Structures are given as C-alpha cells and as structure tokens.
Amino acid sequence: GFLPLQGHVVRNWKVRWFVLLQDKLLYYKIEGGKKEPTPKGRILLDGCTITCPCLEYENRPLLIKLKTKTNTDYFLECCSREERDSWALDITGAIHAGHPVQVQELHRMKNSFKLLENISLHNIVERMYDSSTGIKLTRNLDQGSRYKETFTGSALVDWLISNSFAVSRFEAVTLASMLMDENFIRPVGVRSTEATRSSDPSEKFLDDSTALYMFAETSKKNTSSKEEVHFNISELSGTIVKQGFLVKQGHKRKNWKVRKFVLRADPAFLHYYDPTKEDNKPVGGFSLRGCLVSALEDNGVPAGVKGNVQGNLFKIITKNDIHYYIQASSKAERVQWIEAIKPLT
C-alpha cells in the first residue's frame, strides 16, 4: 500500500508504494499513475527495531519508525491508527518470524490496547471541550515556563473515569494515550514530553499531577500564523467515514499524484490532502450532494484519463459537472470507496 516516507538526504516526504516480503520492505515510485517495475529502495528487516507509535514529529502523529541494524532510521506515515497498527503488526511479524513468542506478545499488546467499540474518540474530545461538564483548563507552571489552557495527566484520568469512559485508572491511561496518538491532545512541559519517548505504550501518558497536556487544536491556534483558511470550518467538521491513500489525476496538468482522501458525513464532503506537506490542510475537496460515482472499466484507458494507469479507476462527477478521476490500489479497495461514497450523494 501507499505510505509517505521521509528522505535520507533531503528530509522531505515522498509517497511510495510499499510491498512487505518475509525479510524486507520494498518501496517503489509511482510515475504517471503506474508503479515503476524496479524498487526505489529496500529496508532489510533482519535486526530491525520498530517504534510504534512514534511521536518524534508533532505534525505527524501516525508514524512508524524502523531502525536497521546499521542504525539507519526510516519514518513511515499512515492514514489512521488502525492502518498504522496493522502495518506495525505485519512488519513486526516479519522481523520476528523465527520468534513466535514475540509475535504472540505483540498480538496480546495490540488487543489489550483496543478502543471499546461503543466509544468514539471524537465524542470524548467533544465532551472534554464542553464548557460546563468538560475538563477544566488552567494555567500551569513547568520549570519556569508558564502554559495557558492546560490540564494535568491525573486530572484527565479522573475526568475519564467520572464520565464513565473508563472504569479503572489503567483503562483511562490507555484511553488518554490513544487521544495523544491521534493528536487530539499533546504533551507540554518537560515531564510529559520526556514520557512520550518511552517504548512502553502504557508509560507514554502519565497519570501524574505534574505532567501537563493541552488540546492539540489549542496549540495550533497559539502557534499558527494569520494564514487565510480556504475551507469553511463546517465542511471539515463532519464525522470521518473513511480515509486512505488514492491516486488522483490533476485537473490542469493531468498528472497523477498520491493524495490522502478523507470522506466525511454530516455534512458530506470528500477532501484530499498532500501527504508530503507538513500542514494538515486540504489541497482540494467538494460536496458529495448530487454527485455521481461509478467504477471505470479496466480494459483500456477511459476517455478523459491521461497516462498509462494501472486500472482500478473510478470517477466522481459533481453537480457542477466537474470530473474527478481516482485510482485505488485494488478492485476491492475501489468497491469499498464507491460503496462508502454512494450513500452520501
């Protein structure tokens, strides 16, 4: 599948097509909507160590870090926590293929770190923001630095338990760690920031009255410039139904670029992002009301499509008659996207 990868010489991000084999992870360039036949590079998994979640980049909370036995670091970014955990599990399985006990332990840890099906992280954050029943924000001092609108780790644990999101402090710490992994909250100050470097997921968030945290959105407001917002806030407020990497044909140059697509409902919008950019702002998007979506035949190149594409194409026509040509990585993925989009049109 597609994953953004940080370069080694120029520290920018490029989207590559990754293929996991038993002893190595291959990655390929995509040119003109088609995977090149020869790998661009390979990551040898023998002696590799994996860090997941990796919180070394504040704007990229869904990273996997691989360190080879020659001490080369690779940073791979995923679209969602579920995708990240799935890749991490499969890569760890390949690394420890000869050590089944370690693979079983990883499965156990992953299953113990699952979010209950009836709990939504978005719902928790909305409740946390509530002016009357949400978590109380205060000014705090940490080693001479003063922070506004923060809360302590122990205060969040208390709040999660009192609002019935967790029944024990261990569960609440696990839930708070998930909120941090998904970039809903972030650590501030030395104590909580240093804890994020722990390799143990249960120790990344601290149930401590001296560990400080804040909403990630608050942090962005405090540090962002006066750059104009190009998208209405309301269209980005819908519930995320589906997200993933797809290849999209440009409107002007007709070239193909990998984009991160996010499908939202209430209101129904499809936005796409450039995964190589540091900011998390859409580069395009449109309302799905009145749209038509359909699969395109794989035999030959359909009218309106440029380049030697690999197939698995589908087309969305907006009510303003704008045509979007999008390529999925497989027929199954194409079906999943079409089935997710259709009810929202």
Side-chain angles (χ1 to χ4, degrees), residues 59-224:
N59 292 335
R60 296 179 181 271
L62 297 173
L63 288 179
I64 296 170
K65 178 182 178 181
L66 295 176
K67 182 183 282 291
T68 67
K69 65 180 179 181
T70 58
N71 287 325
T72 303
D73 291 340
Y74 292 88
F75 293 93
L76 319 176
E77 186 178 32
C78 299
C79 257
S80 65
R81 188 178 189 280
E82 291 75 21
E83 183 189 49
R84 182 197 62 195
D85 290 351
S86 178
W87 270 104
L89 186 68
D90 290 340
I91 292 170
T92 304
I95 292 172
H96 299 305
H99 306 279
V101 174
Q102 288 173 287
V103 178
Q104 288 174 6
E105 177 65 14
L106 183 81
H107 275 282
R108 186 195 65 76
M109 283 181 60
K110 180 172 182 285
N111 290 334
S112 69
F113 207 61
K114 273 186 178 176
L115 184 64
L116 295 175
E117 290 183 5
N118 61 339
I119 293 181
S120 159
L121 291 181
H122 288 276
N123 181 41
I124 292 173
V125 175
E126 283 180 14
R127 292 274 297 277
M128 286 174 68
Y129 270 110
D130 189 282
S131 58
S132 58
T133 61
I135 192 159
K136 304 304 178 190
L137 303 179
T138 59
R139 292 172 180 265
N140 282 286
L141 195 67
D142 182 87
Q143 295 198 359
S145 298
R146 194 175 297 278
Y147 299 96
K148 299 178 182 178
E149 299 184 314
T150 59
F151 46 87
T152 67
S154 56
L156 179 53
V157 169
D158 291 341
W159 184 88
L160 290 168
I161 293 172
S162 65
N163 284 271
S164 302
F165 289 115
V167 296
S168 68
R169 300 195 79 79
F170 174 78
E171 282 188 14
V173 167
T174 302
L175 200 49
S177 299
M178 289 179 171
L179 291 170
M180 193 163 62
D181 287 349
E182 294 295 339
N183 208 30
F184 287 115
I185 64 173
R186 63 177 290 266
V188 286
V190 176
R191 182 104 166 81
S192 57
T193 303
E194 285 184 348
T196 62
R197 300 189 179 97
S198 170
S199 59
D200 186 343
S202 66
E203 295 176 2
K204 291 183 183 296
F205 179 90
L206 298 177
D207 179 6
D208 194 297
S209 60
T210 63
L212 302 181
Y213 299 88
M214 67 166 34
F215 290 115
E217 285 299 318
T218 303
S219 169
K220 290 174 187 174
K221 287 174 189 172
N222 291 341
T223 58
S224 64

Side-chain angles (χ1 to χ4, degrees), residues 23-25 42-48 67-69 74:
D23 60 344
K24 64 180 75 74
L25 191 58
R42 68 193 68 217
I43 303 171
L44 299 178
L45 298 178
D46 179 40
C48 244
K67 182 183 282 291
T68 67
K69 65 180 179 181
Y74 292 88

